[in-house]
Amino acid sequence: MTSTLCAICREGFLPKQTVVNANGVQWHPQCFVCVQCLQPFPEGLFFEHEGRKYCQTDYESLFAPICHECGQYIIGRIFAHKNAKWHPKCFTCYMCSKELSGGFVVHQGRPTCKPCAAKARAEADSKYLCAQCNHIIDTEHLTFKGEPYHPHHFDCFDCHRPLTHHAKELHAHLFCAQCYDTKEISVCAACKKPIEGRAVSALDKKWHPEHFVCGHCERPFAGERFYEHGTMAYCELHYRKLFGEPCFYCCKSAADEIVQFNKTWCENHFFCHGCDVHIKYSNSKFLEIDFLPYCKKCYGKLPDELKKRLKKAAESLERKKQGKKRLLFCGLG
């Protein structure tokens, strides 16, 4: 028997008996229990308070604070403010919801991260907050990538002189007014501002894609076909409502129009779809394939099997037309 005694029952240990050792103190396994519920510690996990050991359940119910946000017990690190306590992950800025582990300020009586508090103060004073130093801008500001800045944070990309609020942005760089004027820049015909990215070329002008819109409904074309009339562009729906059928080739009002295959062409835009040769509508022979005109020469170059199918389709369509005529005649009779 050893001279060491159990911390609870004050009895010794047998030579081969299991001993629980915690913080240099020994217990019999049956004595190493929660002082509140007298049950063994699940998986040996215990919590101390004033030198006494508790299981997690009893420790939480007796001593652990409750998180002001989630209502759960807090074990470990605690954030406290105005007699309330939080888990670190629950202690967040009420404006942006980011954790406040890096420090906070009180804004309107609530914990707030420093950037949000500065932004709120700036908005209350109708001023801008510098995106670089997070200080209120009391003088004129410059805008870079959509954010306000103090001008003194930047130099001209070309001449490296300090910038003022008159600086202009181009291709993700800032330039003084003099250097900016030396650049060849396309200007949007709608908003009159420089076009720094993708541009639309139409009506002999340049446009921001979002500013090239129908002259009637003002919806952007977004890559869809548009129709010209005078100095304006229109979507197909409103062009037809306002001006009638546009030329299938040039998308403008048809001059000396030709109506064929449910389409309208300008007389001088009636081309063979195969070779782009102009077809004189009044005295030239042409054939239809997929509702488009083809000259006899291009039609002759088609594979024999395709010509047979086209011929059968044409004969079938003609028989249907004749059948409709007969029905109409019988109805009149």
Side-chain angles (χ1 to χ4, degrees), residues 3-247:
S3 59
T4 304
L5 301 178
C6 173
I8 296 297
C9 67
R10 309 307 297 172
E11 295 184 1
F13 299 93
L14 297 175
K16 293 186 178 180
Q17 187 176 11
T18 301
V19 178
V20 177
N21 190 320
N23 300 328
V25 181
Q26 287 78 40
W27 289 265
H28 292 110
Q30 65 272 21
C31 296
F32 189 61
V33 295
C34 171
V35 297
Q36 180 70 15
C37 65
L38 302 179
Q39 296 298 314
F41 300 111
E43 300 181 359
L45 178 65
F46 65 88
F47 296 81
E48 281 197 35
H49 182 74
E50 296 181 350
R52 307 181 74 188
K53 294 175 174 55
Y54 298 83
C55 65
Q56 182 172 351
T57 301
D58 288 327
Y59 179 85
E60 288 178 346
S61 63
L62 292 170
F63 310 112
I66 295 176
C67 178
H68 183 73
E69 178 66 24
C70 68
Q72 301 297 316
Y73 290 113
I74 305 174
I75 301 296
R77 193 179 179 198
I78 297 174
F79 278 84
H81 174 64
K82 286 189 175 180
N83 299 321
K85 296 177 175 61
W86 289 265
H87 292 105
K89 65 179 181 180
C90 296
F91 191 57
T92 59
C93 171
Y94 86 97
M95 297 180 72
C96 68
S97 299
K98 292 182 179 179
E99 291 185 23
L100 296 174
S101 56
F104 68 96
V105 296
V106 178
H107 178 69
Q108 296 182 346
R110 304 175 70 178
T112 313
C113 68
K114 294 176 182 178
C116 285
K119 184 177 180 181
R121 288 195 298 271
E123 290 176 351
D125 294 336
S126 299
K127 295 182 179 180
Y128 290 99
L129 188 71
C130 178
Q132 180 162 321
C133 65
N134 281 327
H135 290 164
I136 293 175
I137 304 173
D138 291 315
T139 58
E140 296 287 348
H141 73 283
L142 66 78
T143 301
F144 182 47
K145 296 182 179 179
E147 299 285 350
Y149 291 87
H150 287 110
H152 64 254
H153 291 311
F154 298 95
D155 294 334
C156 174
F157 185 74
D158 271 3
C159 68
H160 306 294
R161 288 182 294 183
L163 292 175
T164 68
H165 65 279
H166 295 296
K168 296 181 182 293
E169 182 179 351
L170 179 65
H171 305 314
H173 297 296
L174 286 170
F175 298 86
C176 64
Q178 292 85 351
C179 292
Y180 183 84
D181 290 340
T182 65
K183 311 296 179 185
E184 293 184 3
I185 305 165
S186 297
V187 176
C188 176
C191 68
K192 309 303 179 185
K193 293 182 179 180
I195 303 175
E196 299 175 11
R198 190 167 63 91
V200 174
S201 297
L203 307 176
D204 297 323
K205 298 175 183 176
K206 300 283 187 179
W207 315 73
H208 288 112
E210 65 273 18
H211 293 160
F212 185 53
V213 299
C214 171
H216 185 78
C217 66
E218 297 186 349
R219 292 182 60 185
F221 293 110
E224 296 181 1
R225 194 172 190 182
F226 63 90
Y227 299 82
E228 296 181 30
H229 185 80
T231 60
M232 303 289 288
Y234 297 87
C235 63
E236 183 175 3
L237 172 65
H238 290 108
Y239 185 95
R240 293 178 187 277
K241 284 185 177 181
L242 295 170
F243 310 112
E245 291 293 325
C247 172

